[in-house]
Amino acid sequence: MSESIREKQFKDTLGLSGEPVIQISGMNKWFGQFHVLRDIDLTVCRGERIVICGPSGSGKSTLIRCINRLEEHQQGTIVVDDIELTDDLKQIDNVRREVGMVFQHFNLFPHLTILENCTLAPIWVRKTPKAEAEEIAMEYLTRVKIPEQADKYPGQLSGGQQQRVAIARSLCMRPKIMLFDEPTSALDPEMIKEVLDVMVDLADTGMTMLVVTHEMGFARQVAHQVIFMDDGQIVEQNEPEPFFNNPQSDRTKFFLSQIL
Amino acid sequence: MNTHNRPFVRTEHLPQSPPPVSTSGIIGWVRENLFSSPLNAVLTISSIYFLYLVIPPFVQWAFIDAAWSGSSNKDCAGYGGACWAVVTARFGQFVYGFYPEAERWRPNLVLVLFAINLLPILWDRVPGRTVAALFLVTGFPLVALFFIHGGLGLEVVPTPKWGGFMLNLIMAAVAIIYSLPLGILLALGRRSEFPIISRFCVLFIEFWRGVPLITVLVMASFILPFFMPDGFNFNELLRALVGLTLFSSAYMAEVVRGGLQALPKGQTEAARAIGLTYWQSIRLIIMPQALKITIPAIVNTFIGLFKDTSLVIVIGLFDLLQVAKSSVTDTNWLGLEHETYIFVALVFFVACFAMSLYSLYLERKLDTDHRD
């Protein structure tokens, strides 16, 4: 109870609207016998940016994949944009069109051009007319700084360019929430910065973002909160400054000492 | 004078230079492909000698000394070469079987209509692919049936009179057109999350894949009628067509499933994550890629199927091979097995090779990987 009051005060100081867009409570998930997420409670407000870090296998990717139901949870509730995630496929589709996702391995559609990658969902899901969808796509491709690649195929682009296209593709649906699943982990060092720059720009627009990443510089720069996960649990959650300068749990201290 | 530890900084930019002449051009190609080692040189020379032994006599027999027309094998007596007269004299039967000569414009027309219907599907510069594909599996078979079979004012030509290569084409076309969509559905069904659907598909696929096609045809032709109630019996050709289609759809299902499994899981996830429904993601993301990588295997199955249509010989349908078989026992044309079967082989080869060329064209056109 005191925890949620503290969180509320914290959000008031941030000047966020305080209106929750994601509410996860008492959520548990198993892969077979393996208890991958344990009693997850998390509230994300509109405009809030959260970075999730933790060792591999700690469940951080699974957590954000539960938010757009790429993974199914078995206990507890997840409410996204006032829609509770249940077996109702229609509702899941409704959630997915409001939640964009960027994957570690980009997952662009290799048989479609960059422009077609970006217009596909608006045309088929939002029923946007083609010309308008292309206009929107070009706008976002310009924002991620690769409008000149619009007619190429994903295979002709570098990793960094592909990931920026993937971000633009998600944004074309004008989502309310963006999920990033280790967006820079598969990139060459030279290309990480160009993707992070795009993400920082996106943060500046006030997008609600959940980012699984090990880029602690990014976390310091844009996150409102940093979450450390280990063994399927949220071990520590705090604002970036105290999180990095004064971590409370030994597990967090050890993790930070390994990666910083 | 230790140069090893000296720091190195490149100051000039090296431009691209052409490869050495000995590795490019005709001479380079010949050297690399035909004479790259003593063994290869020996193999090249002996192959050339072998071709020299075989090709000139064949050309002499098949073209120079050949008789091209005549009404029986006696007309070929003086030539010493091939007696193609057997083919030219009975060409109509090879192509149409016993289909009445006066009505042969009807299958010809259907062939033209078929080509027109196929054009938007096979060639992307002609619009209307989806409509054409839907028409091909729904309306077109009725149009074709009307013209080839007759009725409504056209003289009826019952199916036992259909024959020759036309029959092979009809069977192959029907089986190909229906086995691909059926195979796609079976492949998706086999991967379904619902156990009833997936079990049914597995059972179906394994059954049809596990029986020899000849058995299927014989069962459809001779055994099935025993189990049908009296007066409820459908056409023999139709039964063979159904057997052939179900048989090849099982193969097609496994080919398509191979393609589905080769796709990274991320493609489905990305498709679902941007909000596409299951069927949209199948149609727009999964199938275009899965079918693209399985083109060689699909065409392989089609080619096999095309040649398998000649197996209907076991149920007495009068296809091209059956025409050939009966024509070599014709007293007028005795002793002409070579010419007859070379002709049959050539016809099948041309048809299959055309499919193969189209698949190569398609693979090149759809290659968007740019991995090279």
Side-chain angles (χ1 to χ4, degrees):
Chain A
M1 192 63 193
S2 63
E3 177 69 17
S4 66
I5 290 170
R6 194 199 63 76
E7 209 169 87
K8 172 109 179 49
Q9 286 168 344
F10 161 73
K11 275 161 188 170
D12 286 345
T13 59
L14 279 174
L16 297 170
S17 63
E19 176 196 345
V21 279
I22 302 173
Q23 289 166 293
I24 302 174
S25 59
M27 193 257 277
N28 280 279
K29 174 170 177 61
W30 290 262
F31 283 134
Q33 292 295 309
F34 179 61
H35 198 172
V36 59
L37 290 174
R38 308 179 193 185
D39 278 328
I40 303 289
D41 290 295
L42 177 66
T43 304
V44 182
C45 292
R46 207 171 289 288
E48 195 172 13
R49 299 186 288 275
I50 294 182
V51 164
I52 304 169
C53 60
S56 67
S58 60
K60 51 197 191 311
S61 287
T62 311
L63 171 60
I64 67 165
R65 286 161 61 86
C66 282
I67 293 170
N68 64 352
R69 195 73 168 190
L70 286 184
E71 303 286 355
E72 215 169 293
H73 63 284
Q74 280 107 17
Q75 264 178 22
T77 57
I78 302 177
V79 179
V80 180
D81 197 29
D82 293 332
I83 300 170
E84 184 175 351
L85 290 175
T86 59
D87 287 330
D88 186 346
L89 294 176
K90 193 103 191 118
Q91 296 290 43
I92 294 171
D93 284 336
N94 287 338
V95 166
R96 283 176 176 157
R97 54 178 75 176
E98 303 305 334
V99 179
M101 187 164 204
V102 175
F103 299 86
Q104 180 176 359
H105 296 288
F106 332 135
N107 295 350
L108 294 179
F109 306 129
H111 62 302
L112 301 176
T113 64
I114 299 307
L115 189 64
E116 287 166 343
N117 264 277
C118 293
T119 56
L120 187 81
I123 289 174
W124 288 91
V125 180
R126 292 246 192 255
K127 313 291 177 204
T128 312
K130 188 165 178 244
E132 192 186 328
E134 286 179 352
E135 205 174 301
I136 296 170
M138 288 313 294
E139 177 192 323
Y140 282 109
L141 286 175
T142 310
R143 239 164 78 182
V144 301
K145 304 180 188 73
I146 32 176
E148 71 282 0
Q149 311 282 10
D151 293 325
K152 289 194 182 166
Y153 286 93
Q156 294 166 290
L157 269 56
S158 73
Q161 290 172 324
Q162 288 193 46
Q163 193 61 299
R164 284 186 280 148
V165 172
I167 294 172
R169 175 177 72 178
S170 287
L171 292 177
C172 284
M173 283 292 281
R174 302 205 194 274
K176 293 179 178 154
I177 301 159
M178 284 287 286
L179 309 173
F180 292 83
D181 188 1
E182 306 205 29
T184 56
S185 300
L187 296 175
D188 289 340
E190 281 178 312
M191 296 167 181
I192 291 177
K193 188 171 177 301
E194 66 187 52
V195 171
L196 289 179
D197 284 347
V198 165
M199 290 168 65
V200 171
D201 284 349
L202 183 62
D204 289 341
T205 66
M207 175 64 77
T208 310
M209 295 165 75
L210 273 86
V211 185
V212 172
T213 185
H214 294 142
E215 295 294 330
M216 291 304 135
F218 174 81
R220 275 180 201 272
Q221 192 181 348
V222 308
H224 295 123
Q225 290 203 66
V226 183
I227 289 174
F228 174 70
M229 284 184 74
D230 189 27
D231 220 8
Q233 304 162 70
I234 295 181
V235 174
E236 192 158 344
Q237 175 173 359
N238 212 337
E239 294 168 52
E241 280 317 309
F243 180 88
F244 289 113
N245 299 336
N246 187 19
Q248 299 298 305
S249 103
D250 291 339
R251 192 65 197 83
T252 315
K253 285 176 195 163
F254 179 73
F255 177 75
L256 290 176
S257 73
Q258 295 293 307
I259 63 164
L260 288 180
Chain B
M1 291 304 281
N2 183 354
T3 57
H4 291 287
N5 293 330
R6 187 185 289 169
F8 172 77
V9 177
R10 185 176 292 287
T11 51
E12 83 285 23
H13 184 78
L14 293 182
Q16 281 205 20
S17 49
V21 184
S22 61
T23 63
S24 62
I26 296 170
I27 295 170
W29 186 88
V30 167
R31 185 180 288 179
E32 190 177 323
N33 292 288
L34 300 179
F35 297 98
S36 61
S37 70
L39 178 64
N40 281 353
V42 170
L43 286 174
T44 299
I45 290 166
S46 47
S47 301
I48 290 172
Y49 181 66
F50 176 75
L51 292 177
Y52 165 76
L53 287 183
V54 171
I55 291 180
F58 179 78
V59 171
Q60 183 83 23
W61 175 81
F63 299 104
I64 299 170
D65 291 345
W68 296 92
S69 61
S71 54
S72 81
N73 52 6
K74 294 182 190 69
D75 296 328
C76 300
Y79 285 87
C83 181
W84 298 119
V86 64
V87 173
T88 49
R90 305 183 57 137
F91 192 76
Q93 214 178 68
F94 276 113
V95 177
Y96 300 98
F98 296 124
Y99 207 88
E101 258 187 275
E103 306 295 330
R104 284 178 186 170
W105 62 271
R106 283 154 48 178
N108 292 349
L109 177 68
V110 168
L111 189 64
V112 172
L113 293 176
F114 183 61
I116 293 171
N117 196 161
L118 227 43
L119 205 59
I121 299 172
L122 300 185
W123 199 27
D124 60 347
R125 287 198 204 152
V126 183
R129 169 171 293 178
T130 315
V131 177
L134 281 176
F135 186 72
L136 192 65
V137 295
T138 54
F140 183 79
L142 298 175
V143 173
L145 185 68
F146 166 67
F147 278 114
I148 300 179
H149 184 265
L152 299 174
L154 282 178
E155 188 195 328
V156 172
V157 182
T159 55
K161 290 200 170 184
W162 305 8
F165 191 57
M166 175 186 100
L167 189 62
N168 294 92
L169 279 179
I170 291 172
M171 289 190 294
V174 169
I176 286 174
I177 287 169
Y178 286 106
S179 68
L180 183 59
L182 213 54
I184 290 173
L185 288 179
L186 284 169
L188 290 174
R190 187 165 184 165
R191 287 162 56 96
S192 167
E193 292 168 14
F194 303 106
I196 298 173
I197 297 178
S198 70
R199 297 250 172 82
F200 171 79
C201 291
V202 169
L203 212 67
F204 184 95
I205 292 167
E206 296 305 335
F207 172 77
W208 288 102
R209 233 167 30 138
V211 270
L213 181 55
I214 290 186
T215 323
V216 173
L217 291 172
V218 169
M219 282 204 309
S221 168
F222 304 125
I223 300 173
L224 202 61
F226 275 115
F227 297 103
M228 290 285 186
D230 280 342
F232 184 80
N233 209 347
F234 54 97
N235 183 283
E236 172 159 44
L237 176 60
L238 185 59
R239 275 180 275 147
L241 281 175
V242 170
L244 199 61
T245 305
L246 295 181
F247 182 83
S248 42
S249 70
Y251 277 89
M252 201 52 67
E254 288 301 277
V255 165
V256 173
R257 191 166 70 98
L260 291 174
Q261 279 177 339
L263 285 191
K265 203 164 160 249
Q267 289 293 308
T268 314
E269 290 182 348
R272 306 310 302 280
I274 52 171
L276 297 178
T277 64
Y278 173 77
W279 286 109
Q280 282 175 338
S281 69
I282 292 294
R283 191 182 139 200
L284 301 167
I285 306 300
I286 305 306
M287 274 307 151
Q289 296 185 63
L291 292 182
K292 188 177 92 179
I293 51 179
T294 46
I295 287 171
I298 289 176
V299 174
N300 192 35
T301 311
F302 282 170
I303 287 175
L305 169 62
F306 191 84
K307 293 186 293 184
D308 280 352
T309 58
S310 59
L311 289 177
V312 295
I313 201 165
V314 301
I315 56 170
L317 294 182
F318 208 68
D319 82 314
L320 178 60
L321 201 63
Q322 183 78 293
V323 175
K325 209 178 144 200
S326 65
S327 96
V328 297
T329 53
D330 184 335
T331 45
N332 282 330
W333 300 102
L334 280 177
L336 295 177
E337 286 89 350
H338 291 79
E339 289 84 346
T340 312
Y341 285 108
I342 285 175
F343 171 70
V344 170
L346 190 70
V347 171
F348 274 105
F349 174 79
V350 168
C352 294
F353 190 58
M355 281 196 261
S356 178
L357 285 181
Y358 176 73
S359 92
L360 288 176
Y361 154 79
L362 205 57
E363 275 178 66
R364 266 198 310 276
K365 197 188 76 179
L366 295 179
D367 178 26
T368 56
D369 286 351
H370 308 284
R371 288 207 195 101
D372 303 339

